[in-house]
Amino acid sequence: MDAKALLFVHALSPLHAGTGQGIGAIDLPIAREKATGIPYLPGSSLKGVLRDRAREKEWDEATLFAVFGPDTDKASEHAGAVQVGDAKLLLLPVRSLYGVFAYALGPYLLERFLREAEMVGLSTPKVPTAPGQGEAVVAPGSRLKEGGKVYLEDLDLTAREDPLLGEWEAWLAEKTGAPVGDRLVLLPDDLMAFLLETATEVMARIRLDDETKTVARGALWYEESLPAESLLYTLVRAERSFRKGKEMPAESVFALFKGLLEGALQLGGKATVGRGLCRVRIGG
């Protein structure tokens, strides 16, 4: 038997899970799925941070290796008992003329979230009817709506109310602690794909010359991040320990893993300039 759960990752500051190098106008783009272009946080990033936290908590070496696997030069000895998947984007915060910002969601993002929620036996609200072209579905009384319209970035959309969006807002707020209330908007997939390309945060960075205190030659670059308040999720699965002399059932492995999630985590790159401060919660 194994133990599994969904973890929600709520970005408290911009999240830069980079690819190392870009070939377009952005020098340091974020990681995106090749087929869909949807941003994600590699599971190795989250697993590595939690492994470091286990060391900080002074886990003994046998427990550390049993849960996360041995060091790279001994990787063939046995597998780790915890598997951490890539964190997939669920809600993208975008600018809104009313309500400060909106949490944008598309039918496809919701569909694949439901697949993984079902795998862990998570009970969710019913799926709202997908929006039509130029339509934005919001909860009744949403703060995003004014005069029958929803204004996101440079887009004005016809608002349609659906009580199921209100149920999703309450469910997500309870599970994640993110400020979803009155801010959730369901958009057509094509429009959501456009926002996933254009509504991320792109910042110019420079390095000063130590002597002149002006920008050093060639030291201007652009880096991309998921905006603060982004909400992602990942599937985590624990098995029994495979390490000889440190046998543990899956439930014990998962209990140890859960103990590492208390407090904020620093995920992705650019930690020294405040990127990647995240709160992680178990959704079920």
Side-chain angles (χ1 to χ4, degrees):
M1 292 291 289
D2 60 1
K4 51 184 177 291
L6 275 189
L7 300 188
F8 287 103
V9 179
H10 177 203
L12 304 178
S13 68
L15 176 59
H16 177 79
T19 57
Q21 188 175 3
I23 56 175
I26 300 175
D27 302 288
L28 298 175
I30 55 176
R32 293 175 182 269
E33 297 172 1
K34 188 171 182 62
T36 65
I38 298 172
Y40 73 99
L41 173 71
S44 56
S45 176
L46 178 57
K47 186 177 179 183
V49 167
L50 292 173
R51 186 186 180 104
D52 288 344
R53 178 165 283 189
R55 289 187 187 279
E56 292 169 7
K57 287 179 173 287
E58 299 181 345
W59 283 20
D60 64 82
E61 190 172 86
T63 303
L64 180 74
F65 289 172
V67 174
F68 291 102
D71 291 335
T72 305
D73 58 339
K74 298 179 181 177
S76 61
E77 291 183 0
H78 65 85
V82 162
Q83 301 157 15
V84 182
D86 292 338
K88 303 177 179 69
L89 185 71
L90 177 60
L91 302 182
L92 178 72
V94 297
R95 289 183 301 157
S96 171
L97 187 59
Y98 298 96
V100 185
F101 77 94
Y103 266 126
L105 171 69
Y108 175 66
L109 293 181
L110 182 59
E111 177 187 337
R112 65 184 200 164
F113 169 74
L114 289 170
R115 285 200 300 255
E116 299 202 10
E118 185 179 2
M119 290 172 67
V120 301
L122 200 55
S123 179
T124 60
K126 292 181 179 177
V127 178
T129 304
Q133 196 70 25
E135 204 173 47
V137 183
V138 295
S142 171
R143 71 179 76 183
L144 304 177
K145 192 183 76 167
E146 180 64 32
K149 292 280 188 178
V150 172
Y151 302 91
L152 304 177
E153 299 288 342
D154 298 326
L155 307 166
D156 64 284
L157 304 161
T158 301
R160 172 165 64 83
E161 293 186 342
D162 188 332
L164 289 176
L165 259 290
E167 294 183 24
W168 273 100
E169 286 179 346
W171 188 88
L172 286 167
E174 179 194 348
K175 295 291 184 186
T176 69
V180 186
D182 290 341
R183 286 200 169 94
L184 189 60
V185 58
L186 184 65
L187 302 172
D189 278 331
D190 290 346
L191 180 54
M192 194 66 216
F194 172 74
L195 291 173
L196 288 170
E197 284 291 333
T198 60
T200 56
E201 189 167 309
V202 178
M203 181 173 289
R205 298 277 310 277
I206 59 169
R207 177 174 57 79
L208 295 181
D209 185 298
D210 289 338
E211 296 296 325
T212 64
K213 296 302 179 186
T214 58
V215 179
R217 181 179 292 276
L220 166 66
W221 70 95
Y222 292 89
E223 61 185 40
E224 184 183 27
S225 301
L226 277 172
E229 305 291 358
S230 294
L231 190 65
L232 305 92
Y233 64 96
T234 181
L235 181 65
V236 174
R237 180 170 171 267
E239 298 179 295
R240 67 170 179 82
S241 165
F242 298 100
R243 185 174 178 84
K244 290 181 180 178
K246 194 64 182 179
E247 287 78 16
M248 291 185 289
E251 292 75 14
S252 299
V253 171
F254 195 70
L256 284 168
F257 181 82
K258 283 169 61 177
L260 299 173
L261 302 177
E262 297 173 1
L265 297 173
Q266 198 82 42
L267 302 175
K270 310 300 176 187
T272 57
V273 289
R275 300 287 187 271
L277 188 66
C278 296
R279 179 172 57 193
V280 179
R281 283 193 180 186
I282 294 179

